[in-house]
Amino acid sequence: MKVSDIVKQVREYLDEVDALNAASVLNGSAPVDDRIKAMIPECAVAVGEGKEMPSTDVEVLENGVVTMSIPADFGRLYELKMACWKRSVYEAISHDTPQYRRQQNLVTRGGTVRPVVALVPYGESRRLELYSVPVGDERAGLVERAMYVPVPTIKDGDTEINVSAEKAPVLCYMIAVRVARSYGNEKAVALLSSTLNEQIAVTSII
């Protein structure tokens, strides 16, 4: 879906609930189209389609933890499956959560049956930590499947955003809610949020 098409659709959603009335627009100085475009990357990461992760550096530590480098445009994890895991992981936890702290304990951390992936700071960038693999397993560092959702770089209106036709309404309503909120139009926010929730309920969002 092109950026120009997203802007057009979001504007239509905003007009349907009178989100861009004069009083609202006066509350902000940024043009409406610029606000929409600024909110596309983050929202696109939330609903975007996964793509194969390029070759990464994988290191198996002595304690069974695996570290993996990620691309600079990494937005979120879409799917990760190590060869020795029984299942895939579809979401990475944050390093500042209680669940992450549990990964530092050999008893409570993830394993081959219920693996856990964490997104953690690493110098000036970030990397993934995988919990965990059997120490000494010859497949310990073998990645079976690695997919992620990149953060799109918007160059112009013809920039393609990788979102399926099914999820396009969710993306556009999500952006519309944020634009309406940026103008302080809470009535429009409530109406748009209600429709957004309805769209999410009938859409497969991973």
Side-chain angles (χ1 to χ4, degrees):
M1 189 175 191
K2 291 183 179 180
V3 166
S4 57
D5 294 329
I6 293 174
V7 171
K8 179 180 178 181
Q9 186 62 72
V10 171
R11 269 189 166 275
E12 289 181 6
Y13 291 160
L14 291 169
D15 288 341
E16 288 173 0
V17 296
D18 196 27
L20 301 179
N21 58 53
S24 294
V25 175
L26 286 174
N27 286 334
S29 57
V32 177
D33 287 4
D34 288 349
R35 292 191 182 211
I36 294 173
K37 292 175 184 176
M39 295 172 185
I40 289 176
E42 185 176 353
C43 293
V45 167
V47 303
E49 301 301 302
K51 62 180 290 187
E52 186 174 346
M53 200 178 298
S55 298
T56 59
D57 294 326
V58 177
E59 181 181 2
V60 181
L61 306 182
E62 293 181 356
N63 60 358
V65 177
V66 178
T67 63
M68 179 184 296
S69 61
I70 56 176
D73 65 346
F74 185 94
R76 69 176 171 90
L77 182 68
Y78 192 83
E79 182 181 6
L80 181 58
K81 171 74 164 58
M82 299 299 286
C84 58
W85 286 357
K86 302 297 184 183
R87 65 177 71 177
S88 295
V89 175
Y90 299 97
E91 184 177 0
I93 64 174
S94 174
H95 71 284
D96 57 359
T97 62
Q99 188 178 2
Y100 178 73
R101 290 193 287 274
R102 289 196 291 271
Q103 306 313 307
Q104 312 314 307
N105 186 308
L106 290 174
V107 177
T108 58
R109 75 182 187 182
T112 57
V113 177
R114 292 185 177 180
V116 174
V117 176
L119 180 62
V120 302
Y122 183 63
E124 297 298 320
S125 58
R126 301 170 297 166
R127 70 178 181 182
L128 297 178
E129 289 182 357
L130 287 52
Y131 298 88
S132 57
V133 297
V135 177
D137 191 317
E138 63 181 13
R139 302 175 301 162
L142 181 60
V143 180
E144 191 172 289
R145 189 178 304 108
M147 300 181 70
Y148 77 113
V149 179
V151 178
T153 299
I154 299 176
K155 298 179 180 179
D156 52 44
D158 289 329
T159 300
E160 284 284 347
I161 302 300
N162 188 23
V163 60
S164 67
E166 179 187 24
K167 296 178 182 178
V170 174
L171 171 64
C172 293
Y173 271 110
M174 191 178 293
I175 295 170
V177 168
R178 297 189 181 199
V179 172
R181 182 172 289 119
S182 74
Y183 283 121
N185 192 330
E186 293 304 320
K187 180 179 179 181
V189 169
L191 292 171
L192 292 166
S193 295
S194 177
T195 306
L196 171 61
N197 290 334
E198 292 173 1
Q199 289 292 328
I200 292 176
V202 298
T203 304
S204 175
I205 300 293
I206 296 180

